[in-house]
Amino acid sequence: MFLSWCRSVFSGSFNNVVGFLYQFGDAAAFLVLSACGLAIIFGMMGVINLAHGEFIMGGAYVTATVSKMGAPLPLAILCGALAAGLVGIVLERLVIRHLYHRPLDTIVATWGISLIVSQGTLILLGPSLTDMSTPLGSVTIGELSYSVYRFALMGVAVAILAGLYALFNFTRFGVLARATIQVPHMAESLGVNTRLIYSLTFGIGAALAGATGGLYAPTMSLVPTMGAQFIMEAFVTVVVGGGDVFLGTAPAGVALGFVKALMTTWQGQLAGQIGLLVAVILVIRILPRGISGLILRERA
């Protein structure tokens, strides 16, 4: 039944094909944007950051607040990303720095931080923030209308991946960051300020989370628990992708986005979530080190 439905989708009407491609692009962009900040913090620093969702929530709240003050949306998103990045640097210096090479302790610490932030936001700002309107309107393709802003998010996901690749491969900071992550003692003996590199790397991961919150702020309800909508899918994307942001997270986001879109168009959102988790279980069983582990092993 499912296989016959798949054949009908790909050989069906123009509207079905465009609708599926839209769902696929939207799901893949959501997964990549949600996971890239987490992948940097976990893949490069070995820190399991359970407060990732709260960085996303904080970026969304700052974006909404700055936007309501009259700033254009791109500037508001930038403010949300910078605010999350600065908070991330402070958090790394005060808490995370003392927990490197202790992954279980980072889980407990960041989980506690996430509870403090979400409950503190609920107490201080209330159960919700006034929603933002989705910009750019819609476009009609065939017989159906699609959000132009969702198409823009797909492009932003590709642009962020390209920017990260350039940052970590073609800049002095990227060279120092990779050296610090791979052989920290050697890098420090050569004069690299490894503490600063760790802080900046964590800040970049937090800033990407804040940017994700800002980008999706116009598309969802702004509540203190909104980070939970991102963190599960971000974690499964990082787990499937493995430790490498570019060889793992991007392919994992595309593959899981395809599965989610296929199941969603077949049986709805719940089936999409179930299909996503089943795919994750199968990949972990077959590739315990993720997609990037397979690629790096074949290269070796």
Side-chain angles (χ1 to χ4, degrees), residues 9-216:
V9 167
F10 292 110
S11 63
S13 66
F14 175 76
N15 292 327
N16 289 338
V17 174
V18 173
F20 171 77
L21 292 176
Y22 176 80
Q23 288 274 3
F24 165 55
D26 185 42
F30 182 87
L31 292 170
V32 169
L33 289 171
S34 300
C36 58
L38 184 65
I40 288 176
I41 293 174
F42 173 67
M44 298 187 67
M45 305 178 68
V47 174
I48 302 174
N49 180 24
L50 292 185
H52 182 71
E54 280 57 50
F55 282 115
I56 292 175
M57 180 269 292
Y61 268 57
V62 172
T63 297
T65 302
V66 173
S67 178
K68 289 172 186 175
M69 294 171 62
L73 182 59
L75 178 59
I77 294 172
L78 178 61
C79 290
L82 290 176
L86 290 174
V87 172
I89 291 174
V90 172
L91 179 64
E92 191 276 339
R93 288 180 175 270
L94 295 179
V95 179
I96 304 299
R97 175 169 296 180
H98 308 286
L99 302 176
Y100 287 127
H101 310 298
R102 295 160 58 186
L104 294 180
D105 292 343
T106 62
I107 292 175
V108 175
T110 55
W111 178 61
I113 291 168
S114 72
L115 293 178
I116 293 170
V117 172
S118 60
Q119 294 304 308
T121 303
L122 177 63
I123 293 170
L124 294 176
L125 301 179
S128 65
L129 203 65
T130 305
D131 294 340
M132 302 171 61
S133 58
T134 304
L136 303 181
S138 60
V139 61
T140 300
I141 302 176
E143 299 176 358
L144 301 175
S145 294
Y146 302 95
S147 170
V148 176
Y149 188 70
R150 295 281 184 176
F151 284 113
L153 290 177
M154 300 174 201
V156 169
V158 175
I160 286 179
L161 285 175
L164 288 175
Y165 183 81
L167 175 66
F168 285 104
N169 287 278
F170 301 110
T171 66
R172 176 176 172 78
F173 169 79
V175 173
L176 296 179
R178 287 185 286 117
T180 300
I181 300 305
Q182 293 174 11
V183 194
H185 301 298
M186 180 65 73
E188 190 168 9
S189 68
L190 293 173
V192 178
N193 187 343
T194 55
R195 291 192 170 191
L196 177 61
I197 295 297
Y198 276 126
S199 294
L200 292 177
T201 304
F202 195 93
I204 290 172
L208 288 170
T212 300
L215 288 166
Y216 280 94

